Protein backbone atom coordinates (compact mmCIF):
# COMPACT_ATOMS: atom_id res chain seq x y z
CA UNK A 1 0.00 0.00 0.00
CA UNK A 2 1.28 3.49 -0.85
CA UNK A 3 0.84 6.79 0.94
CA UNK A 4 -0.54 9.94 -0.70
CA UNK A 5 2.85 11.24 -1.86
CA UNK A 6 3.83 7.88 -3.36
CA UNK A 7 0.43 7.54 -5.02
CA UNK A 8 1.03 10.67 -7.11
CA UNK A 9 4.25 9.15 -8.48
CA UNK A 10 2.55 6.04 -9.86
CA UNK A 11 1.88 5.56 -13.53
CA UNK A 12 -1.73 5.07 -14.59
CA UNK A 13 -1.12 1.34 -15.04
CA UNK A 14 0.52 0.95 -11.62
CA UNK A 15 -2.28 2.88 -9.92
CA UNK A 16 -4.92 0.78 -11.68
CA UNK A 17 -3.21 -2.48 -10.65
CA UNK A 18 -3.04 -1.33 -7.02
CA UNK A 19 -6.68 -0.25 -7.14
CA UNK A 20 -7.70 -3.66 -8.49
CA UNK A 21 -5.78 -5.38 -5.68
CA UNK A 22 -7.48 -3.19 -3.07
CA UNK A 23 -10.92 -3.91 -4.52
CA UNK A 24 -10.17 -7.63 -4.44
CA UNK A 25 -9.11 -7.49 -0.80
CA UNK A 26 -12.17 -5.48 0.18
CA UNK A 27 -14.49 -7.79 -1.74
CA UNK A 28 -13.02 -10.83 0.01
CA UNK A 29 -14.57 -9.65 3.28
CA UNK A 30 -11.56 -10.97 5.20
CA UNK A 31 -10.07 -7.58 6.07
CA UNK A 32 -10.57 -6.18 9.60
CA UNK A 33 -12.68 -3.01 9.73
CA UNK A 34 -9.82 -0.59 10.51
CA UNK A 35 -7.75 -1.99 7.67
CA UNK A 36 -10.77 -1.94 5.33
CA UNK A 37 -11.25 1.77 6.03
CA UNK A 38 -7.58 2.46 5.27
CA UNK A 39 -7.79 0.39 2.09
CA UNK A 40 -10.94 2.23 1.03
CA UNK A 41 -9.21 5.60 1.53
CA UNK A 42 -6.19 4.46 -0.47
CA UNK A 43 -8.48 3.10 -3.18
CA UNK A 44 -10.26 6.43 -3.37
CA UNK A 45 -6.92 8.25 -3.83
CA UNK A 46 -5.96 5.80 -6.57
CA UNK A 47 -9.36 6.17 -8.27
CA UNK A 48 -8.99 9.95 -8.30
CA UNK A 49 -5.45 9.66 -9.69
CA UNK A 50 -6.61 7.32 -12.47
CA UNK A 51 -9.51 9.62 -13.33
CA UNK A 52 -7.22 12.66 -13.46
CA UNK A 53 -4.79 10.82 -15.75
CA UNK A 54 -7.65 9.75 -18.04
CA UNK A 55 -9.05 13.28 -18.13
CA UNK A 56 -5.60 14.62 -19.00
CA UNK A 57 -5.13 12.09 -21.77
CA UNK A 58 -8.57 12.85 -23.20
CA UNK A 59 -7.80 16.56 -23.26
CA UNK A 60 -4.67 15.88 -25.32
CA UNK A 61 -6.43 13.80 -27.95
CA UNK A 62 -7.03 15.71 -31.15
CA UNK A 63 -9.43 15.05 -33.96
CA UNK A 64 -7.98 15.17 -37.47
CA UNK A 65 -9.84 17.50 -39.85
CA UNK A 66 -10.01 16.78 -43.56
CA UNK A 67 -11.39 18.65 -46.53
CA UNK A 68 -13.97 17.20 -48.95
CA UNK A 69 -11.18 15.52 -50.94
CA UNK A 70 -9.91 13.75 -47.81
CA UNK A 71 -6.78 15.88 -47.46
CA UNK A 72 -5.77 16.59 -43.86
CA UNK A 73 -6.28 20.28 -43.10
CA UNK A 74 -5.42 20.35 -39.40
CA UNK A 75 -6.59 19.18 -36.04
CA UNK A 76 -9.13 20.29 -33.47
CA UNK A 77 -9.23 19.50 -29.75
CA UNK A 78 -11.18 16.43 -28.71
CA UNK A 79 -14.78 17.17 -27.80
CA UNK A 80 -16.45 14.49 -25.69
CA UNK A 81 -19.96 13.89 -26.73
Amino acid sequence: MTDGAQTADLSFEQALRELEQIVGRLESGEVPLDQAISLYEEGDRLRKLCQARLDSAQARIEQVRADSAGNVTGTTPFAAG
Side-chain angles (χ1 to χ4, degrees), residues 9 32 47 60 80:
D9 294 334
R47 181 196 61 78
R60 293 190 330 247

Side-chain angles (χ1 to χ4, degrees), residues 6-48:
Q6 292 173 325
T7 298
D9 294 334
L10 296 174
S11 71
F12 173 81
E13 292 78 8
Q14 291 168 323
L16 187 58
R17 272 193 301 276
E18 284 198 28
L19 181 55
E20 290 170 344
Q21 290 173 355
I22 287 171
V23 169
R25 291 180 67 195
L26 290 172
E27 287 179 342
S28 75
E30 297 178 12
V31 179
L33 180 59
D34 288 343
Q35 188 177 7
I37 292 169
S38 293
L39 285 170
Y40 179 84
E41 290 170 344
E42 177 64 13
D44 191 47
R45 280 193 295 274
L46 290 165
R47 181 196 61 78
K48 288 176 182 174

